[in-house]
Amino acid sequence: MMIKTLVHRIPEFCMTHWLLRIPLIVVFFQQGMNKWPINIEDSPVELTLLVWSFVVLGELGAAAGLLAGGLADYIKRTKEFGDVITRFSGITIASIMTGVIWTGEPESFWDVLWYDNLHVLLWVGGMYFALRGNRT
């Protein structure tokens, strides 16, 4: 009973999603801007111009979408729209990170977890927003 009252005394912070949202926005905006303007020669692996364009625009769009989706949650009329934007941005992030992990051609699942942990964390962040949206 004592632990229950202690837990209820801890204040709830309803904006903790920004602690995950802001670093994802910064990373994806930075990665997208580093590849701008779109030039196929900047691709680290052999990709077509169409795929490379989707990667660059997807990174920039995901960053903008996470920001817009989070801000839309504070406007009464746009809550549902913001949730959809956040979920779509999360799916975009997870898709891009899946492609990054696959093109690295890891030897095993454990190689990905042990040596490619940055991409795994970005993938998990994308999946979090894809599955939860603004309902955090």
PDB file of all heavy atoms in Angstrom, residues 100-116:
ATOM      1  N   VAL A 100      18.082   0.614 -44.687  1.00  0.00           N
ATOM      2  CA  VAL A 100      19.469   0.870 -44.295  1.00  0.00           C
ATOM      3  C   VAL A 100      20.092  -0.389 -43.695  1.00  0.00           C
ATOM      4  O   VAL A 100      21.230  -0.758 -44.014  1.00  0.00           O
ATOM      5  CB  VAL A 100      19.543   2.052 -43.294  1.00  0.00           C
ATOM      6  CG1 VAL A 100      20.910   2.149 -42.650  1.00  0.00           C
ATOM      7  CG2 VAL A 100      19.183   3.357 -43.979  1.00  0.00           C
ATOM      8  N   ILE A 101      19.344  -1.052 -42.830  1.00  0.00           N
ATOM      9  CA  ILE A 101      19.855  -2.275 -42.196  1.00  0.00           C
ATOM     10  C   ILE A 101      20.070  -3.370 -43.241  1.00  0.00           C
ATOM     11  O   ILE A 101      21.093  -4.052 -43.244  1.00  0.00           O
ATOM     12  CB  ILE A 101      18.916  -2.730 -41.067  1.00  0.00           C
ATOM     13  CG1 ILE A 101      18.958  -1.714 -39.911  1.00  0.00           C
ATOM     14  CG2 ILE A 101      19.283  -4.118 -40.571  1.00  0.00           C
ATOM     15  CD1 ILE A 101      17.878  -1.895 -38.864  1.00  0.00           C
ATOM     16  N   TRP A 102      19.117  -3.533 -44.164  1.00  0.00           N
ATOM     17  CA  TRP A 102      19.238  -4.577 -45.193  1.00  0.00           C
ATOM     18  C   TRP A 102      20.401  -4.324 -46.138  1.00  0.00           C
ATOM     19  O   TRP A 102      21.092  -5.250 -46.547  1.00  0.00           O
ATOM     20  CB  TRP A 102      17.953  -4.694 -45.990  1.00  0.00           C
ATOM     21  CG  TRP A 102      16.902  -5.512 -45.317  1.00  0.00           C
ATOM     22  CD1 TRP A 102      17.028  -6.273 -44.193  1.00  0.00           C
ATOM     23  CD2 TRP A 102      15.557  -5.652 -45.740  1.00  0.00           C
ATOM     24  NE1 TRP A 102      15.837  -6.863 -43.885  1.00  0.00           N
ATOM     25  CE2 TRP A 102      14.903  -6.499 -44.819  1.00  0.00           C
ATOM     26  CE3 TRP A 102      14.817  -5.138 -46.791  1.00  0.00           C
ATOM     27  CZ2 TRP A 102      13.568  -6.853 -44.930  1.00  0.00           C
ATOM     28  CZ3 TRP A 102      13.489  -5.492 -46.900  1.00  0.00           C
ATOM     29  CH2 TRP A 102      12.873  -6.339 -45.980  1.00  0.00           C
ATOM     30  N   THR A 103      20.594  -3.063 -46.545  1.00  0.00           N
ATOM     31  CA  THR A 103      21.680  -2.786 -47.486  1.00  0.00           C
ATOM     32  C   THR A 103      23.045  -2.941 -46.831  1.00  0.00           C
ATOM     33  O   THR A 103      24.051  -3.061 -47.535  1.00  0.00           O
ATOM     34  CB  THR A 103      21.562  -1.374 -48.101  1.00  0.00           C
ATOM     35  OG1 THR A 103      21.547  -0.404 -47.052  1.00  0.00           O
ATOM     36  CG2 THR A 103      20.331  -1.253 -48.966  1.00  0.00           C
ATOM     37  N   GLY A 104      23.100  -2.960 -45.502  1.00  0.00           N
ATOM     38  CA  GLY A 104      24.341  -3.248 -44.801  1.00  0.00           C
ATOM     39  C   GLY A 104      24.732  -4.706 -44.880  1.00  0.00           C
ATOM     40  O   GLY A 104      25.849  -5.072 -44.527  1.00  0.00           O
ATOM     41  N   GLU A 105      23.816  -5.551 -45.364  1.00  0.00           N
ATOM     42  CA  GLU A 105      24.016  -6.985 -45.523  1.00  0.00           C
ATOM     43  C   GLU A 105      24.634  -7.642 -44.285  1.00  0.00           C
ATOM     44  O   GLU A 105      25.723  -8.219 -44.350  1.00  0.00           O
ATOM     45  CB  GLU A 105      24.865  -7.275 -46.759  1.00  0.00           C
ATOM     46  CG  GLU A 105      24.198  -6.829 -48.033  1.00  0.00           C
ATOM     47  CD  GLU A 105      25.037  -7.096 -49.268  1.00  0.00           C
ATOM     48  OE1 GLU A 105      26.125  -7.698 -49.156  1.00  0.00           O
ATOM     49  OE2 GLU A 105      24.596  -6.688 -50.351  1.00  0.00           O
ATOM     50  N   PRO A 106      23.934  -7.568 -43.150  1.00  0.00           N
ATOM     51  CA  PRO A 106      24.480  -8.194 -41.939  1.00  0.00           C
ATOM     52  C   PRO A 106      24.488  -9.714 -42.070  1.00  0.00           C
ATOM     53  O   PRO A 106      23.654 -10.300 -42.767  1.00  0.00           O
ATOM     54  CB  PRO A 106      23.507  -7.745 -40.846  1.00  0.00           C
ATOM     55  CG  PRO A 106      22.236  -7.459 -41.561  1.00  0.00           C
ATOM     56  CD  PRO A 106      22.623  -6.969 -42.923  1.00  0.00           C
ATOM     57  N   GLU A 107      25.446 -10.327 -41.398  1.00  0.00           N
ATOM     58  CA  GLU A 107      25.560 -11.788 -41.476  1.00  0.00           C
ATOM     59  C   GLU A 107      24.490 -12.489 -40.664  1.00  0.00           C
ATOM     60  O   GLU A 107      24.084 -13.594 -40.993  1.00  0.00           O
ATOM     61  CB  GLU A 107      26.942 -12.225 -41.019  1.00  0.00           C
ATOM     62  CG  GLU A 107      28.035 -11.816 -41.983  1.00  0.00           C
ATOM     63  CD  GLU A 107      29.381 -12.362 -41.580  1.00  0.00           C
ATOM     64  OE1 GLU A 107      29.447 -13.339 -40.820  1.00  0.00           O
ATOM     65  OE2 GLU A 107      30.370 -11.794 -42.056  1.00  0.00           O
ATOM     66  N   SER A 108      24.049 -11.855 -39.582  1.00  0.00           N
ATOM     67  CA  SER A 108      23.030 -12.482 -38.739  1.00  0.00           C
ATOM     68  C   SER A 108      22.224 -11.417 -38.016  1.00  0.00           C
ATOM     69  O   SER A 108      22.583 -10.233 -38.010  1.00  0.00           O
ATOM     70  CB  SER A 108      23.678 -13.421 -37.711  1.00  0.00           C
ATOM     71  OG  SER A 108      24.375 -12.670 -36.740  1.00  0.00           O
ATOM     72  N   PHE A 109      21.155 -11.864 -37.405  1.00  0.00           N
ATOM     73  CA  PHE A 109      20.309 -10.977 -36.601  1.00  0.00           C
ATOM     74  C   PHE A 109      21.114 -10.367 -35.459  1.00  0.00           C
ATOM     75  O   PHE A 109      20.960  -9.196 -35.132  1.00  0.00           O
ATOM     76  CB  PHE A 109      19.121 -11.786 -36.066  1.00  0.00           C
ATOM     77  CG  PHE A 109      18.247 -11.024 -35.126  1.00  0.00           C
ATOM     78  CD1 PHE A 109      17.405 -10.033 -35.588  1.00  0.00           C
ATOM     79  CD2 PHE A 109      18.265 -11.293 -33.759  1.00  0.00           C
ATOM     80  CE1 PHE A 109      16.584  -9.326 -34.727  1.00  0.00           C
ATOM     81  CE2 PHE A 109      17.458 -10.589 -32.891  1.00  0.00           C
ATOM     82  CZ  PHE A 109      16.615  -9.607 -33.373  1.00  0.00           C
ATOM     83  N   TRP A 110      21.987 -11.155 -34.862  1.00  0.00           N
ATOM     84  CA  TRP A 110      22.789 -10.673 -33.725  1.00  0.00           C
ATOM     85  C   TRP A 110      23.773  -9.607 -34.158  1.00  0.00           C
ATOM     86  O   TRP A 110      24.069  -8.688 -33.389  1.00  0.00           O
ATOM     87  CB  TRP A 110      23.501 -11.838 -33.044  1.00  0.00           C
ATOM     88  CG  TRP A 110      22.506 -12.785 -32.469  1.00  0.00           C
ATOM     89  CD1 TRP A 110      22.230 -14.047 -32.903  1.00  0.00           C
ATOM     90  CD2 TRP A 110      21.604 -12.527 -31.383  1.00  0.00           C
ATOM     91  NE1 TRP A 110      21.221 -14.601 -32.151  1.00  0.00           N
ATOM     92  CE2 TRP A 110      20.814 -13.681 -31.208  1.00  0.00           C
ATOM     93  CE3 TRP A 110      21.379 -11.444 -30.547  1.00  0.00           C
ATOM     94  CZ2 TRP A 110      19.834 -13.791 -30.242  1.00  0.00           C
ATOM     95  CZ3 TRP A 110      20.407 -11.542 -29.574  1.00  0.00           C
ATOM     96  CH2 TRP A 110      19.645 -12.694 -29.437  1.00  0.00           C
ATOM     97  N   ASP A 111      24.305  -9.699 -35.376  1.00  0.00           N
ATOM     98  CA  ASP A 111      25.192  -8.651 -35.882  1.00  0.00           C
ATOM     99  C   ASP A 111      24.472  -7.310 -35.948  1.00  0.00           C
ATOM    100  O   ASP A 111      25.060  -6.268 -35.659  1.00  0.00           O
ATOM    101  CB  ASP A 111      25.719  -9.012 -37.277  1.00  0.00           C
ATOM    102  CG  ASP A 111      26.872  -9.987 -37.233  1.00  0.00           C
ATOM    103  OD1 ASP A 111      27.391 -10.248 -36.126  1.00  0.00           O
ATOM    104  OD2 ASP A 111      27.249 -10.488 -38.305  1.00  0.00           O
ATOM    105  N   VAL A 112      23.214  -7.339 -36.329  1.00  0.00           N
ATOM    106  CA  VAL A 112      22.431  -6.106 -36.388  1.00  0.00           C
ATOM    107  C   VAL A 112      22.269  -5.530 -34.981  1.00  0.00           C
ATOM    108  O   VAL A 112      22.495  -4.333 -34.752  1.00  0.00           O
ATOM    109  CB  VAL A 112      21.048  -6.349 -37.030  1.00  0.00           C
ATOM    110  CG1 VAL A 112      20.188  -5.112 -36.940  1.00  0.00           C
ATOM    111  CG2 VAL A 112      21.199  -6.786 -38.465  1.00  0.00           C
ATOM    112  N   LEU A 113      21.889  -6.359 -34.024  1.00  0.00           N
ATOM    113  CA  LEU A 113      21.664  -5.877 -32.661  1.00  0.00           C
ATOM    114  C   LEU A 113      22.948  -5.399 -31.985  1.00  0.00           C
ATOM    115  O   LEU A 113      22.938  -4.409 -31.255  1.00  0.00           O
ATOM    116  CB  LEU A 113      21.011  -6.965 -31.811  1.00  0.00           C
ATOM    117  CG  LEU A 113      19.578  -7.322 -32.182  1.00  0.00           C
ATOM    118  CD1 LEU A 113      19.053  -8.397 -31.232  1.00  0.00           C
ATOM    119  CD2 LEU A 113      18.677  -6.113 -32.141  1.00  0.00           C
ATOM    120  N   TRP A 114      24.057  -6.077 -32.214  1.00  0.00           N
ATOM    121  CA  TRP A 114      25.293  -5.735 -31.516  1.00  0.00           C
ATOM    122  C   TRP A 114      26.072  -4.609 -32.177  1.00  0.00           C
ATOM    123  O   TRP A 114      26.697  -3.803 -31.501  1.00  0.00           O
ATOM    124  CB  TRP A 114      26.190  -6.962 -31.402  1.00  0.00           C
ATOM    125  CG  TRP A 114      25.686  -7.984 -30.427  1.00  0.00           C
ATOM    126  CD1 TRP A 114      24.865  -7.767 -29.369  1.00  0.00           C
ATOM    127  CD2 TRP A 114      25.948  -9.374 -30.442  1.00  0.00           C
ATOM    128  NE1 TRP A 114      24.607  -8.943 -28.724  1.00  0.00           N
ATOM    129  CE2 TRP A 114      25.265  -9.956 -29.356  1.00  0.00           C
ATOM    130  CE3 TRP A 114      26.701 -10.207 -31.262  1.00  0.00           C
ATOM    131  CZ2 TRP A 114      25.313 -11.307 -29.070  1.00  0.00           C
ATOM    132  CZ3 TRP A 114      26.749 -11.555 -30.977  1.00  0.00           C
ATOM    133  CH2 TRP A 114      26.065 -12.098 -29.887  1.00  0.00           C
ATOM    134  N   TYR A 115      26.053  -4.546 -33.508  1.00  0.00           N
ATOM    135  CA  TYR A 115      26.933  -3.612 -34.202  1.00  0.00           C
ATOM    136  C   TYR A 115      26.215  -2.495 -34.956  1.00  0.00           C
ATOM    137  O   TYR A 115      26.873  -1.588 -35.457  1.00  0.00           O
ATOM    138  CB  TYR A 115      27.837  -4.384 -35.180  1.00  0.00           C
ATOM    139  CG  TYR A 115      28.611  -5.480 -34.497  1.00  0.00           C
ATOM    140  CD1 TYR A 115      28.404  -6.804 -34.834  1.00  0.00           C
ATOM    141  CD2 TYR A 115      29.518  -5.185 -33.489  1.00  0.00           C
ATOM    142  CE1 TYR A 115      29.107  -7.821 -34.201  1.00  0.00           C
ATOM    143  CE2 TYR A 115      30.223  -6.187 -32.847  1.00  0.00           C
ATOM    144  CZ  TYR A 115      30.019  -7.501 -33.206  1.00  0.00           C
ATOM    145  OH  TYR A 115      30.709  -8.500 -32.570  1.00  0.00           O
ATOM    146  N   ASP A 116      24.916  -2.586 -35.072  1.00  0.00           N
ATOM    147  CA  ASP A 116      24.160  -1.574 -35.814  1.00  0.00           C
ATOM    148  C   ASP A 116      23.073  -0.983 -34.925  1.00  0.00           C
ATOM    149  O   ASP A 116      21.962  -0.715 -35.367  1.00  0.00           O
ATOM    150  CB  ASP A 116      23.549  -2.223 -37.067  1.00  0.00           C
ATOM    151  CG  ASP A 116      23.260  -1.207 -38.150  1.00  0.00           C
ATOM    152  OD1 ASP A 116      23.679  -0.040 -38.008  1.00  0.00           O
ATOM    153  OD2 ASP A 116      22.605  -1.573 -39.136  1.00  0.00           O
TER     154      ASP A 116
END
